Coordinates of all heavy atoms in Angstrom, one line a residue:
M489 N -30.2 1.4 -86.3 CA -29.0 1.2 -85.7 C -27.9 2.0 -86.4 O -27.0 2.6 -85.8 CB -28.6 -0.3 -85.7 CG -29.5 -1.2 -84.8 SD -29.2 -3.0 -85.0 CE -27.6 -3.1 -84.1
N490 N -28.1 2.1 -87.7 CA -26.9 2.9 -88.5 C -27.2 4.3 -88.2 O -26.1 5.1 -88.0 CB -27.3 2.6 -90.0 CG -26.3 3.4 -90.8 OD1 -25.1 3.2 -90.7 ND2 -26.7 4.4 -91.6
R491 N -28.4 4.8 -88.0 CA -28.7 6.2 -87.6 C -28.0 6.5 -86.2 O -27.6 7.6 -85.9 CB -30.1 6.6 -87.6 CG -30.4 8.0 -87.1 CD -29.9 9.0 -88.2 NE -30.2 10.3 -87.8 CZ -29.4 11.1 -87.1 NH1 -28.3 10.7 -86.5 NH2 -29.7 12.4 -86.8
A492 N -28.1 5.5 -85.3 CA -27.7 5.6 -83.9 C -26.2 5.7 -83.7 O -25.7 5.9 -82.6 CB -28.3 4.4 -83.1
T493 N -25.5 5.4 -84.8 CA -24.0 5.5 -84.6 C -23.6 6.9 -84.5 O -22.4 7.1 -83.9 CB -23.3 4.9 -85.9 OG1 -23.9 5.7 -87.1 CG2 -23.6 3.5 -86.1
M494 N -24.4 7.8 -84.8 CA -24.2 9.3 -84.5 C -25.1 9.7 -83.3 O -26.2 9.9 -83.5 CB -24.4 10.2 -85.8 CG -23.5 9.9 -86.9 SD -21.8 10.3 -86.5 CE -22.0 12.1 -86.5
P495 N -24.6 9.8 -82.0 CA -25.4 10.1 -81.0 C -25.9 11.6 -81.1 O -25.6 12.3 -81.8 CB -24.4 10.0 -79.8 CG -23.1 10.4 -80.4 CD -23.0 9.8 -81.7
I496 N -27.0 11.8 -80.2 CA -27.5 13.0 -80.0 C -26.6 13.8 -79.1 O -26.3 13.5 -77.9 CB -28.9 13.0 -79.3 CG1 -29.8 12.2 -80.2 CG2 -29.4 14.4 -79.2 CD1 -31.2 12.0 -79.5
E497 N -26.0 14.9 -79.6 CA -25.1 15.8 -78.9 C -25.4 17.3 -78.8 O -25.8 17.8 -79.9 CB -23.6 15.6 -79.3 CG -22.9 14.4 -79.0 CD -21.5 14.5 -79.1 OE1 -21.0 14.9 -80.2 OE2 -20.7 13.9 -78.2
I498 N -25.5 17.8 -77.7 CA -25.8 19.3 -77.5 C -24.4 19.9 -77.5 O -23.6 19.6 -76.7 CB -26.6 19.6 -76.2 CG1 -27.8 18.6 -76.1 CG2 -27.0 21.0 -76.2 CD1 -28.8 18.7 -77.3
R499 N -24.3 20.9 -78.4 CA -23.1 21.6 -78.4 C -23.2 23.1 -78.2 O -24.2 23.7 -78.5 CB -22.4 21.4 -79.9 CG -22.0 19.9 -80.1 CD -21.3 19.7 -81.5 NE -20.8 18.4 -81.5 CZ -19.6 18.1 -81.1 NH1 -18.7 19.0 -80.6 NH2 -19.2 16.8 -81.3
S500 N -22.1 23.6 -77.8 CA -21.9 25.2 -77.6 C -21.5 25.8 -79.0 O -20.4 25.7 -79.4 CB -20.9 25.6 -76.6 OG -20.6 26.9 -76.4
V501 N -22.4 26.4 -79.7 CA -22.2 26.9 -81.1 C -21.6 25.9 -82.0 O -20.6 26.2 -82.7 CB -21.5 28.3 -81.1 CG1 -22.4 29.3 -80.5 CG2 -20.2 28.2 -80.2
H502 N -21.9 24.6 -81.8 CA -21.3 23.5 -82.6 C -19.9 23.3 -82.5 O -19.2 22.8 -83.4 CB -21.7 23.8 -84.1 CG -23.1 24.2 -84.4 ND1 -24.1 23.2 -84.3 CD2 -23.7 25.3 -84.7 CE1 -25.3 23.7 -84.6 NE2 -25.1 25.0 -84.9
I503 N -19.3 23.7 -81.3 CA -17.8 23.5 -81.1 C -17.6 22.6 -80.0 O -17.1 21.4 -80.2 CB -17.2 24.9 -80.9 CG1 -17.4 25.9 -82.0 CG2 -15.7 24.7 -80.5 CD1 -16.8 27.2 -81.7
A504 N -18.0 22.9 -78.8 CA -17.8 22.2 -77.6 C -19.0 21.4 -77.3 O -20.1 21.9 -77.1 CB -17.4 23.0 -76.4
A505 N -18.9 20.0 -77.1 CA -20.1 19.2 -76.7 C -20.4 19.4 -75.2 O -19.4 19.6 -74.4 CB -19.8 17.7 -77.0
I506 N -21.6 19.3 -74.9 CA -22.0 19.5 -73.5 C -22.0 18.2 -72.8 O -23.0 17.3 -72.9 CB -23.4 20.1 -73.3 CG1 -23.5 21.4 -74.3 CG2 -23.8 20.4 -71.9 CD1 -22.4 22.4 -73.9
N507 N -20.9 17.7 -72.2 CA -20.8 16.4 -71.6 C -19.8 16.6 -70.5 O -19.3 17.6 -70.2 CB -20.4 15.3 -72.5 CG -19.2 15.6 -73.3 OD1 -18.2 16.3 -72.9 ND2 -19.2 15.4 -74.7
L508 N -19.5 15.4 -69.7 CA -18.6 15.6 -68.6 C -17.2 15.8 -69.0 O -16.4 16.3 -68.3 CB -18.7 14.2 -67.8 CG -20.0 13.9 -67.2 CD1 -20.0 12.6 -66.5 CD2 -20.4 15.0 -66.2
D509 N -16.7 15.4 -70.2 CA -15.4 15.8 -70.6 C -15.3 17.3 -70.8 O -14.2 17.9 -70.5 CB -15.2 15.2 -72.0 CG -15.0 13.7 -72.0 OD1 -14.7 13.1 -70.9 OD2 -15.3 13.0 -73.0
S510 N -16.3 18.0 -71.3 CA -16.3 19.4 -71.3 C -16.2 20.0 -69.9 O -15.5 21.1 -69.7 CB -17.5 19.9 -72.1 OG -17.5 19.6 -73.4
F511 N -16.9 19.4 -69.0 CA -16.9 19.9 -67.6 C -15.5 19.9 -67.0 O -15.1 20.8 -66.4 CB -17.8 19.1 -66.8 CG -17.8 19.4 -65.3 CD1 -18.4 20.6 -64.8 CD2 -17.2 18.5 -64.4 CE1 -18.2 21.0 -63.4 CE2 -17.1 18.9 -63.0 CZ -17.7 20.1 -62.6
M512 N -14.8 18.7 -67.3 CA -13.4 18.7 -66.8 C -12.5 19.6 -67.5 O -11.6 20.2 -66.9 CB -12.9 17.2 -67.0 CG -13.6 16.2 -66.2 SD -13.6 16.5 -64.4 CE -11.9 16.6 -64.1
A513 N -12.8 19.9 -68.8 CA -12.0 20.8 -69.6 C -12.2 22.2 -69.0 O -11.1 23.1 -68.9 CB -12.4 20.8 -71.0
I514 N -13.4 22.6 -68.6 CA -13.6 23.9 -68.0 C -12.9 24.1 -66.7 O -12.3 25.1 -66.4 CB -15.2 24.1 -67.8 CG1 -15.9 24.2 -69.1 CG2 -15.4 25.3 -66.9 CD1 -17.3 24.4 -69.1
I515 N -12.9 23.0 -65.8 CA -12.2 23.2 -64.5 C -10.8 23.3 -64.8 O -10.1 24.1 -64.0 CB -12.6 21.8 -63.7 CG1 -14.0 21.7 -63.5 CG2 -11.7 21.8 -62.5 CD1 -14.6 22.8 -62.6
K516 N -10.1 22.5 -65.8 CA -8.8 22.6 -66.0 C -8.4 24.0 -66.5 O -7.4 24.6 -66.1 CB -8.3 21.5 -67.0 CG -8.4 20.1 -66.4 CD -8.1 19.1 -67.5 CE -8.1 17.5 -66.9 NZ -7.8 16.6 -67.9
T517 N -9.2 24.5 -67.5 CA -9.0 25.8 -68.0 C -9.0 26.8 -66.9 O -8.2 27.8 -66.9 CB -10.0 26.1 -69.1 OG1 -9.9 25.1 -70.2 CG2 -9.8 27.5 -69.7
S518 N -10.0 26.8 -66.1 CA -10.1 27.8 -64.9 C -8.9 27.7 -64.1 O -8.4 28.8 -63.7 CB -11.4 27.5 -64.1 OG -12.5 27.5 -65.0
Y519 N -8.3 26.5 -63.8 CA -7.2 26.4 -63.0 C -6.0 27.0 -63.7 O -5.2 27.7 -63.0 CB -7.0 24.9 -62.6 CG -5.8 24.7 -61.7 CD1 -5.9 25.1 -60.3 CD2 -4.6 24.2 -62.1 CE1 -4.8 24.9 -59.5 CE2 -3.6 24.0 -61.3 CZ -3.7 24.3 -59.9 OH -2.5 24.1 -59.1
S520 N -5.9 26.8 -65.0 CA -4.7 27.3 -65.7 C -4.8 28.9 -65.7 O -3.8 29.5 -65.5 CB -4.8 26.8 -67.2 OG -4.7 25.4 -67.2
V521 N -6.0 29.5 -65.9 CA -6.1 30.9 -65.8 C -5.8 31.4 -64.5 O -5.2 32.5 -64.3 CB -7.5 31.4 -66.3 CG1 -7.7 32.9 -66.1 CG2 -7.8 30.9 -67.8
Y522 N -6.2 30.7 -63.4 CA -5.9 31.0 -62.1 C -4.5 31.2 -61.8 O -3.9 32.0 -61.2 CB -6.5 30.1 -61.1 CG -5.9 30.0 -59.7 CD1 -6.1 31.0 -58.8 CD2 -5.1 28.8 -59.4 CE1 -5.4 31.1 -57.6 CE2 -4.5 28.8 -58.1 CZ -4.6 29.9 -57.3 OH -3.9 29.8 -56.1

């Protein structure tokens, strides 16, 4: 349980986590660049 407090996270070069929050950030960034 103590080990599980740190979840398994897949990251882009250890910076951005691959999750739905990152997906929304990409959409928002794309709209800003647009």
Side-chain angles (χ1 to χ4, degrees):
M489 294 175 71
N490 184 61
R491 179 68 180 89
T493 57
M494 295 293 291
I496 302 173
E497 282 198 314
I498 309 299
R499 292 182 172 272
S500 172
V501 291
H502 306 293
I503 300 175
I506 310 303
N507 52 41
L508 293 180
D509 291 335
S510 296
F511 174 73
M512 294 306 301
I514 288 174
I515 299 300
K516 291 178 181 178
T517 302
S518 301
Y519 183 72
S520 299
V521 175
Y522 156 72

